[in-house]
Amino acid sequence: MCISRLIQTERRRITAIYHFNVKMVTRTSGGSCVASAAYIAGEKIRNERDGKIHDYRNKHEVVHKEILLPKSAPSEYSNRAKLWNAAECAEKRKNSQTARSINAALPRELSRGDQIDLVRQFCEQCFVSKGMCCDFAIHDKGDGNPHVHILLTTRRVDKNGFTQKERSWNDRKLLLEWRERWADWCNHKLYFVSDARVDHRSYKEQGIDRLPQIHLGVEVCAVERKGFKTDKGNKNRRIRRRNLEAEIAELEKEMRSTRAKHKQETIEYIEANIGYKVSEAFAIHDEMPVLEQYEKYLQSHNIPSELIFYNEDKYELFVPKSEKEKAIGLLSQFRKQNLERDDQSNTQQKSAPPKKPKPRL
């Protein structure tokens, strides 16, 4: 009973991976939106601003890529090279922010079609409807970590191209809204296929005693995959160990609580059936078949009793202490009758004529 309740509780707690990271593509850090677009799409694109060629055609983990445009954007922006070269050339300053980049984990419980539909609907609602050009690509190496890269423009757009910078898209409240909407869309899709759910809130906001792991990054992940240990990797391993210990402590606490509740319910059940407090009753221990017969024997003599099953090795028959002497006396009679019944059965078996063997044909 305790285990089944604990399993039901854990099913309600199933949590899918939530990761939603937003950062700006800036020239001060050596980035360009053309290079980012080539990377996420696994394509070869030439940056018309500086003449550099960014070739990522060897990236075989790109399983889907798509460009979503607002109605006001030129149709030619459906071409990835033209879209991001236009965005790059629209920025004149050496410290310009040329694009907004989002990396988000996709629920691996979803099919590929559901993952694509999830990203498309999320981007339409949060970005394209606000006037942003959106380029997204889903990456999956088959290692259980499917994720999506989303690249967004930072300027308003009309039929002639990009216009003024839209500063309101940098609002932190908008970022928090995106994080929540991503969780909403993930859970909407998960509802139909799994008990798993995601939560955009931090562990602290959820009231969960866990530490968040740090982001490793592409280079650190590559080193770790080769079998080498890194400082960041070691830190995450310590965090996972600490979180596992906290989870075990919570489960043990819940198990103790469930056992205490089960014990109290058992006491109340016994008291309701025998009409006495458990403290005013005594318990008889024996094998299950014997206790079942003895319980019926006591009840036939109007002595209240209740048989409790704990597990396959433990059974107890509770009887009020006020009926103890009478119950013990009846126990002697009960055992005597059982012995006599067994003797009669053995005698009948011995006196029965042996069966004649069937003649062979």
Side-chain angles (χ1 to χ4, degrees):
M1 183 175 177
C2 295
I3 296 296
S4 64
R5 284 184 180 178
L6 188 59
I7 291 173
Q8 291 172 3
T9 302
E10 287 308 300
R11 281 178 180 166
R12 292 194 297 270
R13 281 184 174 184
I14 297 174
T15 305
I17 295 172
Y18 181 88
H19 173 74
F20 190 91
N21 179 260
V22 182
K23 64 180 182 180
M24 300 304 298
V25 179
T26 62
R27 285 178 180 164
T28 51
S29 59
S32 77
C33 57
V34 174
S36 296
Y39 172 81
I40 71 169
E43 293 183 4
K44 178 181 178 180
I45 303 178
R46 180 179 182 275
N47 189 334
E48 296 175 358
R49 179 175 173 271
D50 57 18
K52 289 183 180 179
I53 296 176
H54 304 280
D55 190 354
Y56 290 97
R57 288 175 295 178
N58 61 343
K59 289 189 68 63
H60 303 298
E61 65 266 29
V62 182
V63 295
H64 181 83
K65 51 190 174 183
E66 187 174 332
I67 292 176
L68 302 172
L69 300 175
K71 294 179 180 180
S72 60
S75 58
E76 64 184 36
Y77 283 3
S78 58
N79 178 285
R80 186 165 284 105
K82 290 183 179 180
L83 168 63
W84 294 110
N85 269 300
E88 189 74 46
C89 292
E91 304 299 335
K92 307 302 180 182
R93 300 170 59 181
K94 61 180 181 181
N95 62 345
S96 292
Q97 296 178 336
T98 58
R100 180 174 284 103
S101 175
I102 297 174
N103 178 289
L106 287 166
R108 56 190 177 192
E109 295 83 358
L110 300 180
S111 66
R112 182 73 71 224
D114 283 339
Q115 290 174 346
I116 294 170
D117 191 54
L118 158 65
V119 178
R120 186 182 293 136
Q121 293 190 62
F122 169 72
C123 290
E124 288 281 4
Q125 181 190 37
C126 294
F127 311 131
V128 181
S129 65
K130 302 297 190 294
M132 302 180 210
C133 298
C134 174
D135 187 1
F136 75 84
I138 293 175
H139 292 191
D140 191 352
K141 293 181 179 180
D143 57 357
N145 181 33
H147 56 279
V148 62
H149 292 273
I150 304 172
L151 205 59
L152 304 168
T153 52
T154 59
R155 289 179 176 269
R156 289 284 178 182
V157 66
D158 60 23
K159 294 300 180 182
N160 298 317
F162 291 105
T163 59
Q164 76 274 14
K165 204 83 162 179
E166 185 53 73
R167 305 294 179 185
S168 64
W169 295 343
N170 296 332
D171 191 344
R172 178 172 171 77
K173 291 181 180 179
L174 193 59
L175 168 60
L176 297 176
E177 181 182 320
W178 294 342
R179 289 177 57 82
E180 185 174 358
R181 290 293 167 269
W182 178 252
D184 291 343
W185 275 109
C186 287
N187 289 332
H188 171 70
K189 291 293 184 181
L190 285 168
Y191 176 82
F192 299 99
V193 298
S194 171
D195 292 328
R197 297 293 181 267
V198 301
D199 198 316
H200 67 285
R201 298 173 298 169
S202 66
Y203 287 139
K204 185 176 181 180
E205 290 171 331
Q206 295 178 58
I208 298 176
D209 182 22
R210 300 287 188 280
L211 295 176
Q213 296 187 46
I214 60 174
H215 181 63
L216 297 183
V218 178
E219 294 179 358
V220 174
C221 287
V223 172
E224 289 276 337
R225 279 196 296 269
K226 292 178 181 178
F228 297 100
K229 303 297 183 183
T230 63
D231 290 341
K232 287 185 176 180
N234 289 336
K235 185 172 183 179
N236 272 354
R237 279 183 278 275
R238 287 194 296 269
I239 291 173
R240 284 195 294 269
R241 180 179 176 82
R242 186 266 179 198
N243 287 346
L244 183 59
E245 290 172 349
E247 186 174 355
I248 291 172
E250 288 178 4
L251 290 174
E252 289 176 342
K253 181 180 179 181
E254 188 164 354
M255 181 66 84
R256 288 194 297 270
S257 175
T258 305
R259 282 175 175 160
K261 186 177 180 181
H262 175 56
K263 182 179 179 180
Q264 183 59 36
E265 288 178 352
T266 302
I267 290 173
E268 292 172 358
Y269 175 79
I270 294 169
E271 292 176 347
N273 283 278
I274 67 175
Y276 291 85
K277 295 285 186 182
V278 169
S279 58
E280 299 172 355
F282 72 99
I284 300 173
H285 306 269
D286 210 322
E287 295 180 354
M288 182 69 167
V290 176
L291 291 177
E292 284 182 325
Q293 295 176 25
Y294 183 49
E295 180 185 29
K296 293 178 181 178
Y297 190 74
L298 290 175
Q299 291 174 352
S300 68
H301 289 77
N302 299 319
I303 295 179
S305 59
E306 186 61 40
L307 179 61
I308 297 298
F309 164 76
Y310 295 104
N311 54 54
E312 59 183 13
D313 298 320
K314 185 177 180 181
Y315 312 90
E316 288 184 332
L317 181 65
F318 286 85
V319 181
K321 288 180 180 178
S322 59
E323 303 285 351
K324 185 173 182 179
E325 292 184 6
K326 189 176 179 181
I328 292 174
L330 290 172
L331 179 59
S332 300
Q333 295 178 22
F334 172 74
R335 285 175 174 168
K336 185 178 179 181
Q337 288 180 8
N338 279 350
L339 287 173
E340 291 175 353
R341 193 182 302 111
D342 292 340
D343 290 341
Q344 290 177 1
S345 177
N346 292 332
T347 302
Q348 289 175 358
Q349 288 178 2
K350 290 178 181 179
S351 60
K355 293 182 179 181
K356 294 182 178 180
K358 293 181 179 180
R360 294 182 179 179
L361 297 177

